[in-house]
Amino acid sequence: MLARESGRPIIPFAMATSRFIRLNNWDSTTINLPFGRGAAVGIDAVFVPPDADAETMEKLRLQVETFLNEATRRAYEQLGRPDASLPEKSPANPADAGAMKSR
């Protein structure tokens, strides 16, 4: 909403380090450790039209999420740790677990 109201773009980017601890929480927070290498990757800006309706906002939200995941993947790839990218989330319903791709 802030991007829609202000007219400013959303700039998706990710920062990653080669040494980190990943927490087992809802957003897989990482605590970066010293003496590692770092990478920052930006993706194309996302512009939200001032007259964006709920459907447009959802499409743009999904685009931002996709860009953030891709930026994260690229950042870890630059560090030589493509396996360290964000893990797949468990489904909210355990019955849906069969639908998840195995790693």
Side-chain angles (χ1 to χ4, degrees):
M1 280 206 196
L2 185 59
R4 180 180 67 189
E5 299 301 320
S6 70
R8 300 289 186 208
I10 299 168
I11 311 293
F13 76 98
M15 295 173 36
T17 59
S18 60
R19 299 185 68 240
F20 61 88
I21 297 170
R22 186 179 308 276
L23 301 181
N24 187 20
N25 61 357
W26 69 274
D27 68 350
S28 300
T29 303
T30 57
I31 299 172
N32 300 314
L33 300 173
F35 312 113
R37 292 170 297 143
V41 174
I43 305 281
D44 295 333
V46 176
F47 292 89
V48 180
D51 59 345
D53 60 7
E55 183 179 338
T56 302
M57 293 292 283
E58 178 61 13
K59 286 180 185 175
L60 293 172
R61 184 196 68 77
L62 291 172
Q63 183 179 23
V64 169
E65 181 179 350
T66 300
F67 284 176
L68 287 170
N69 289 337
E70 178 62 14
T72 301
R73 186 194 66 75
R74 288 183 192 179
Y76 282 113
E77 190 175 84
Q78 285 183 10
L79 296 169
R81 295 202 55 188
D83 59 317
S85 191
L86 291 176
E88 291 182 22
K89 295 291 183 187
S90 300
N93 181 356
D96 295 336
M100 295 287 294
K101 290 184 349 186
S102 61
R103 289 192 129 202

